[in-house]
Amino acid sequence: MKPVVLHPEADEEYAVAAKHYANISRQLGGRFYDEIERWILEIRKSPAQFRQYEPPARRNLGRSFPFAVVYLDEPDCVWVVAIMHLHREPDYWKRRLG
């Protein structure tokens, strides 16, 4: 299983979204956190299983929350470039690719 590395801005997105849901209810915040962690674990186990979104990036979409984990399958790690809200600007994370 590959290690995961979150882009600093993806890490911030994750924290902001988790806080948002936790402010609604502690249980909802916990469910959001658990779901994102499960998505990341699925990606780590088999990064190539998810569709390419914007090559070379791939994404894992959730069912319970309007978010996706956008990542690159690097040789030595899974690089998460965005914890992306699906109802916002879709391409904002591309500038993070360098």
Side-chain angles (χ1 to χ4, degrees), residues 26-83:
R26 185 180 292 182
Q27 292 81 11
L28 188 60
R31 282 185 34 228
F32 177 78
Y33 175 83
D34 291 345
E35 183 136 333
I36 295 292
E37 290 301 309
R38 185 177 52 78
W39 299 347
I40 291 171
L41 182 60
E42 290 173 355
I43 292 165
R44 290 180 63 207
K45 287 180 180 176
S46 184
Q49 77 172 310
F50 298 99
R51 265 179 78 187
Q52 284 196 329
Y53 171 56
E54 292 283 337
R58 296 177 179 271
R59 72 178 178 180
N60 185 353
L61 294 169
R63 290 181 177 79
S64 301
F65 295 92
F67 280 84
V69 176
V70 181
Y71 67 95
L72 290 138
D73 183 12
E74 299 289 340
D76 57 343
C77 70
V78 170
W79 184 41
V80 174
V81 294
I83 306 294

Side-chain angles (χ1 to χ4, degrees), residues 9-26:
E9 290 178 75
D11 194 36
E12 177 68 17
E13 289 167 343
Y14 188 8
V16 167
K19 183 176 180 180
H20 167 75
Y21 286 114
N23 284 338
I24 295 169
S25 98
R26 185 180 292 182

